[in-house]
């Protein structure tokens, strides 16, 4: 007899609720898009009330679609969410004081710069694993305190509460004010080793009076739903979306790694039970945490990101008109056997780890009279794959581990051409594994929830029950390139990266000269 779990997935673009069985098969899904507000360039906001409204509608919608399973058979719910998005609210009223600042919002650049110049700034990443950046929540909190009067007033009287999306939704849906370790690890306020809030970090960011959600394990009791057709069902799992995706890919072992190919790429690498500190700008974060016999069993990860992945396909379609549908890029690339000597550095907004070159520009090198749009398409796909290789090489080096295969998810993975290119660039006999079940993020939250209520006894039990669902009908791509070919092609790509960096640096120098001349006038 089957057992059933709900998974609430609050992403950046939509809310979804999926019902899974204990074999990991999705039985029912409901989805609703969420609105973005962009009052000025670089600003991205969402209405926190929309998260709650959408969640209830999606829960009810998915339950209504169920066939052969009743609402009363759903034993628990897991939550996964966009990370770092920041909500501040009044403890007295329970109402938000400002729109949610979405993780991609960059209005805090001046705040991040000022914080980076403070005494003790060089110690921040040693405590929380994160660099001072517009990306993370504490910097957004600091901006809100400095720029929104009612936020500052509420803070001064001791009533200001901070939430990421998970703890806001848990509070509104269950009445509990709590978060999990994966989300707390993105706040910059949690010590990565103790898994508790750090007084040093609270002092550094000047938020000593801020009310913070209680940190619980990823598989834990987060209260019971008070609304929807599943009122009374316990929420027993909570994970940030990227951690949840690797858990959903059954990445429980040291060296397990996944790459999500969305607008950009998020690469997460399981480093085991101790955090790995990066010397090259990778992020140390919590992958998954559960309590066994009263003790934390925490898995950590290294994380790196690529700014441009699926967005280069949109560029091909919308900006230069070389394809009409995004799905056509693989067919176009497949018209040629190789890139014809063309390298495309897709640095539309600089380059992230391991290059860290914000001035790098989008650059195509190696053009000749024989170059066709098919060569450009293949070079664009390979650009994402080469950057993935660069991150993976660095993760292997810094964690002193080896990976056996790369698990993949996200829109770009539907292209067999792209995934074969990824396997080739990683080297001969390296495997890229694309599961048939395309909902690993939601499944990760369901796994966390099911572990707490005993649907599975431990991670080995999870693997045994879910492996067939994850692999049956999936596809594994095996690298065909020889070691010498990988080395040669990777060298060519890195030469193109250097060209993109030199060009960007030279442009920056001239802009600085122009600014000086204007000042002289």
């Amino acid at each position: 007899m089957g057992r059933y779990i709900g998974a609430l997935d609050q992403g950046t673009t939509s809310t979804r609720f999926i019902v899974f069985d204990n074999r990991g098969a999705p039985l029912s899904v409901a989805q609703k898009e969420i609105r973005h507000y962009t009052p000025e360039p670089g600003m991205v906001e969402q209405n926190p009330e929309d998260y709650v409204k959408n969640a209830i509608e999606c829960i009810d919608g998915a339950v209504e679609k169920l066939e052969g399973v009743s609402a009363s058979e759903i034993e628990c719910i897991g939550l996964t969410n966009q990370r770092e998005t920041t909500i501040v609210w009044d403890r007295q009223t329970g109402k938000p004081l400002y729109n949610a600042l979405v993780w991609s919002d960059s209005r805090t650049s001046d705040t991040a710069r000022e914080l980076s110049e403070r005494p003790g700034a060089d110690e921040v990443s040693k405590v929380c694993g994160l660099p001072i950046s517009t990306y993370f929540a504490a910097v957004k909190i600091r901006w809100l305190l400095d720029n929104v009067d009612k936020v500052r007033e509420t803070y001064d009287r001791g009533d200001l509460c901070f939430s990421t999306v998970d703890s806001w939704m848990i509070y509104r849906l269950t009445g509990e004010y709590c978060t999990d370790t994966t989300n707390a690890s993105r706040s910059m306020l949690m010590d990565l080793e103790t898994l508790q809030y750090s007084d040093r970090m609270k002092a550094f960011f000047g938020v000593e009076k801020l009310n913070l959600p209680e940190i619980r394990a990823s598989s834990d009791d987060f209260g019971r739903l008070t609304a929807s057709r599943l009122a009374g069902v316990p929420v027993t799992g909570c994970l940030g979306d990227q951690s949840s995706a690797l858990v959903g890919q059954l990445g429980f072992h040291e060296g397990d790694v996944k790459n999500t190919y969305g607008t950009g790429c998020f690469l997460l690498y399981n480093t085991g039970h101790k955090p790995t500190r990066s010397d090259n700008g990778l992020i140390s974060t919590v992958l998954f945490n559960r309590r066994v016999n009263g003790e934390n069993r925490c898995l950590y990860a290294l994380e790196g990101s690529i700014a441009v992945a699926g967005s280069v396909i949109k560029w091909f379609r919308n900006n230069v008109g070389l394809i009409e549908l995004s799905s056509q890029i693989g067919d176009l690339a497949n018209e040629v056997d190789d890139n014809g000597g063309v390298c495309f550095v897709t640095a539309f907004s600089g380059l992230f780890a391991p290059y860290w070159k914000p001035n790098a520009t989008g650059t195509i090198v190696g053009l000749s009279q024989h170059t066709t749009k098919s060569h450009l398409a293949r070079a664009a796909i390979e650009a994402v794959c080469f950057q993935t290789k660069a991150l993976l090489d660095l993760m292997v080096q810094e964690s002193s581990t080896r990976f056996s295969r790369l698990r993949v998810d996200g829109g770009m993975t539907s292209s067999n051409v792209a995934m074969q290119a990824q396997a080739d660039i990683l080297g001969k006999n390296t495997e890229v594994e694309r599961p048939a079940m395309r909902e690993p993020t939601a499944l990760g939250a369901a796994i966390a929830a099911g572990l707490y209520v005993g649907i599975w006894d431990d991670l080995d039990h999870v693997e045994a029950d879910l492996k067939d669902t994850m692999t049956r009908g999936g596809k594994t791509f095996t690298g065909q390139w020889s070691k010498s070919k990988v080395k040669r092609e990777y060298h060519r790509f890195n030469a193109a990266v250097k060209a993109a960096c030199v060009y960007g640096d030279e442009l920056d120098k001239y802009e600085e000269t122009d600014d000086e001349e204007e000042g002289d006038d």
Side-chain angles (χ1 to χ4, degrees), residues 200-317:
R200 287 172 62 192
M201 291 299 94
K202 287 191 283 186
F204 177 83
F205 289 102
V207 294
E208 294 93 333
K209 293 171 64 177
L210 186 67
N211 296 293
L212 298 169
E214 179 187 338
I215 299 174
R216 298 181 183 175
S218 308
S219 185
D220 210 329
D221 181 2
F222 296 93
R224 292 176 178 269
L225 291 186
T226 58
S228 83
R229 294 178 66 173
L230 294 183
V233 176
V235 178
T236 55
C238 181
L239 289 162
D241 55 4
Q242 298 305 320
S243 293
S244 194
L246 184 51
V247 171
Q249 293 261 27
L250 310 183
F252 306 137
H253 306 288
E254 191 175 273
D256 284 347
V257 57
K258 71 90 190 172
N259 196 12
T260 297
Y261 298 76
T263 301
C265 284
F266 286 97
L267 201 69
L268 216 65
Y269 192 104
N270 185 331
T271 58
H273 293 288
K274 291 184 178 180
T276 298
R277 306 296 184 176
S278 174
D279 296 322
N280 295 282
L282 296 176
I283 292 167
S284 298
T285 195
V286 175
L287 169 59
F288 180 66
N289 178 38
R290 61 190 293 250
R291 294 184 67 80
V292 178
N293 298 324
E295 294 185 2
N296 280 315
R297 295 284 180 86
C298 189
L299 289 170
Y300 292 91
L302 281 174
E303 180 177 329
S305 57
I306 299 168
V308 175
S311 54
V312 74
I313 300 174
K314 292 182 180 178
W315 179 84
F316 257 77
R317 183 191 66 197

Side-chain angles (χ1 to χ4, degrees), residues 445-466:
I447 289 169
L451 279 165
Y452 188 79
V453 300
I455 290 177
W456 302 286
D457 298 325
D458 51 33
L459 298 180
D460 290 339
H461 190 184
V462 173
E463 281 194 272
D465 272 9
L466 272 61

Side-chain angles (χ1 to χ4, degrees), residues 394-414:
L394 183 57
M395 289 173 167
V396 168
Q397 173 191 322
E398 294 206 324
S399 65
S400 300
T401 63
R402 298 189 66 178
F403 75 96
S404 57
R405 64 189 183 278
L406 175 65
R407 299 166 166 94
V408 298
D409 61 77
M412 193 172 167
T413 64
S414 61

Side-chain angles (χ1 to χ4, degrees), residues 115-361:
L115 288 166
S116 297
E117 294 169 355
R118 286 187 181 183
D122 57 343
E123 296 295 314
V124 170
S125 65
K126 296 177 184 178
V127 177
C128 68
L130 308 174
I132 296 172
S133 162
T134 61
Y135 198 68
F136 301 109
V139 179
K140 299 181 191 295
I141 298 168
R142 188 66 261 163
W143 185 91
L144 287 161
L145 285 167
D146 293 339
N147 291 276
V148 183
D149 289 342
K150 60 184 176 182
V151 173
R152 165 55 69 177
E153 292 164 4
T154 307
Y155 175 83
D156 286 341
R157 69 170 190 264
D159 287 327
L160 187 68
C161 294
F162 156 71
S163 285
T164 40
V165 171
D166 60 302
S167 63
W168 168 251
M169 294 181 74
I170 290 169
Y171 171 70
R172 290 296 303 274
L173 293 172
T174 75
E176 298 277 334
Y177 183 37
C178 54
T179 186
D180 93 296
T181 46
T182 67
N183 282 292
S185 73
R186 315 298 288 193
S187 69
M188 304 193 78
L189 301 175
M190 188 188 84
D191 186 306
L192 200 58
E193 297 199 20
T194 66
L195 306 180
Q196 299 297 323
Y197 292 117
S198 164
D199 290 338
R200 287 172 62 192
M201 291 299 94
K202 287 191 283 186
F204 177 83
F205 289 102
V207 294
E208 294 93 333
K209 293 171 64 177
L210 186 67
N211 296 293
L212 298 169
E214 179 187 338
I215 299 174
R216 298 181 183 175
S218 308
S219 185
D220 210 329
D221 181 2
F222 296 93
R224 292 176 178 269
L225 291 186
T226 58
S228 83
R229 294 178 66 173
L230 294 183
V233 176
V235 178
T236 55
C238 181
L239 289 162
D241 55 4
Q242 298 305 320
S243 293
S244 194
L246 184 51
V247 171
Q249 293 261 27
L250 310 183
F252 306 137
H253 306 288
E254 191 175 273
D256 284 347
V257 57
K258 71 90 190 172
N259 196 12
T260 297
Y261 298 76
T263 301
C265 284
F266 286 97
L267 201 69
L268 216 65
Y269 192 104
N270 185 331
T271 58
H273 293 288
K274 291 184 178 180
T276 298
R277 306 296 184 176
S278 174
D279 296 322
N280 295 282
L282 296 176
I283 292 167
S284 298
T285 195
V286 175
L287 169 59
F288 180 66
N289 178 38
R290 61 190 293 250
R291 294 184 67 80
V292 178
N293 298 324
E295 294 185 2
N296 280 315
R297 295 284 180 86
C298 189
L299 289 170
Y300 292 91
L302 281 174
E303 180 177 329
S305 57
I306 299 168
V308 175
S311 54
V312 74
I313 300 174
K314 292 182 180 178
W315 179 84
F316 257 77
R317 183 191 66 197
N318 299 338
N319 295 45
V320 295
L322 293 180
I323 54 175
E324 294 181 0
L325 301 171
S326 295
S327 58
Q328 293 173 335
I329 194 165
D331 294 334
L332 187 61
N334 207 33
E335 291 178 357
V336 292
D337 293 330
D338 55 40
N339 58 31
V342 176
C343 285
F344 190 169
V345 182
T346 54
F348 295 160
S349 54
L351 290 171
F352 294 172
Y355 311 101
W356 295 116
K357 293 292 184 179
N359 293 334
T361 62

